[in-house]
Amino acid sequence: MWRPRRNGLAGLLILCAAVCGTPVYADRGFSGGVTPSRFEISSQPGDVLRRALKIYNLSSRPQRYQVKTVDWQYSEGGQISFQDALAPDSCRQWVALERHTISVVPDPQQPRNFRFEVAVPAAAPAQECRLALMIEGLDSSFDASFADGAITMPIAGRIAVIIYLRVGDVTPELEIGDLVVHEHAGQLLPSVEVRNLGAAHGRLDADLVAETAAGKAVRLAIATSPILPGQTRQLALTPEAGQTLSYPLTIKGRIYSDGKSIAVEQDLKSADRSLFARQRSAAPAVAAAADR
């Protein structure tokens, strides 16, 4: 049986990934992969929880990796940042790691199982705490060519595995607001304003179609990044690959959130006009949201 050892604090973030989605891979010095890319754990005060992830070595030789915990923040604009220093409300001290340094063989069919333990204090209040496991390659280097020759320098490539830990009965409460047009990555796209009035993070899913005046139908995908408690965010509605939007158009379908849904059928005449007024209540969902 392994004995958990407390995690140390050190290091500089060079490369990291993954707030949400599929297994995460990083480059520029990190020749590995990790799955799952995040954990969403429910607990009660006094619980001791054990979980494991898989670390892959995708290089041609054995690699060593350092593992530690870090705190992270996610802005309303969609930028993530990490910090080694304990945040004021950090729950990283509840986490014990199997070890701090591991070796992994160079075989994508033989991942290394890495275990960690979360001991929730008996007096812990109801809350959602958020942290990350940072996995750093220790044997990486980066070759760069300059006018006077080549140079090899150490580069620390890293992957972040996000952990959401809910203690007690805490839930998101997402308020869907105005649907307006904003510029996203150089495109004018419809976006949904969403505010989280609850005590845990939430996400939206959608089944939406944009119909142009010429009768063309384009399916839309909604950004599935997290909305943290207290945040108000604008989430873009993006057309499927290879499609573009032209105005005026009509957006139809449903937006889903935590077992509820909102029906949408609105005209968008111009880039400045709101599609629909704020809706605080939602009807029961008629379709299940994707598991993200």
Side-chain angles (χ1 to χ4, degrees), residues 44-189:
Q44 296 295 328
D47 283 352
V48 177
L49 308 164
R50 296 178 177 87
R51 297 291 187 273
L53 55 92
K54 296 182 184 295
I55 301 175
Y56 297 81
N57 179 0
L58 306 180
S59 73
S60 59
R61 61 181 184 274
Q63 294 286 331
R64 292 180 304 130
Y65 301 98
Q66 179 188 66
V67 186
K68 65 178 182 178
T69 63
V70 296
D71 286 305
W72 60 273
Q73 296 179 338
Y74 193 63
S75 72
E76 292 185 346
Q79 289 79 44
I80 190 169
S81 59
F82 298 90
Q83 65 180 66
D84 285 324
L86 281 175
D89 58 350
S90 178
C91 59
R92 287 160 54 193
Q93 59 269 31
W94 303 352
V95 179
L97 304 180
E98 174 183 351
R99 60 183 66 243
H100 299 303
T101 304
I102 63 171
S103 297
V104 184
V105 298
D107 185 347
Q109 302 302 317
Q110 296 187 52
R112 170 68 154 81
N113 287 326
F114 183 87
R115 295 166 290 183
F116 65 95
E117 179 181 285
V118 182
V120 182
Q127 61 178 297
E128 179 184 75
C129 63
R130 296 174 291 274
L131 65 145
L133 297 181
M134 192 69 75
I135 300 107
E136 175 184 0
L138 296 178
D139 300 320
S140 302
S141 63
F142 176 71
D143 295 326
S145 297
F146 296 92
D148 56 352
I151 185 172
T152 299
M153 64 184 72
I155 292 290
R158 300 184 180 187
I159 289 179
V161 176
I162 301 298
I163 299 174
Y164 298 91
L165 176 63
R166 295 186 184 184
V167 181
D169 186 18
V170 292
T171 59
E173 183 182 343
L174 299 186
E175 177 186 89
I176 307 301
D178 294 336
L179 187 63
V180 296
V181 174
H182 282 278
E183 185 174 350
H184 297 272
Q187 299 183 70
L188 285 177
L189 297 175

Side-chain angles (χ1 to χ4, degrees), residues 272-285:
D272 297 321
R273 181 178 175 184
S274 170
L275 282 185
F276 56 93
R278 187 174 304 276
Q279 301 184 47
R280 293 182 179 271
S281 61

Side-chain angles (χ1 to χ4, degrees), residues 179-181 190 211-213 247-252 264-276:
L179 187 63
V180 296
V181 174
E211 297 180 357
T212 67
Y247 301 91
L249 52 77
T250 300
I251 296 179
K252 298 180 180 180
V264 178
E265 184 173 353
Q266 301 293 334
D267 297 328
L268 183 55
K269 300 295 185 183
S270 70
D272 297 321
R273 181 178 175 184
S274 170
L275 282 185
F276 56 93

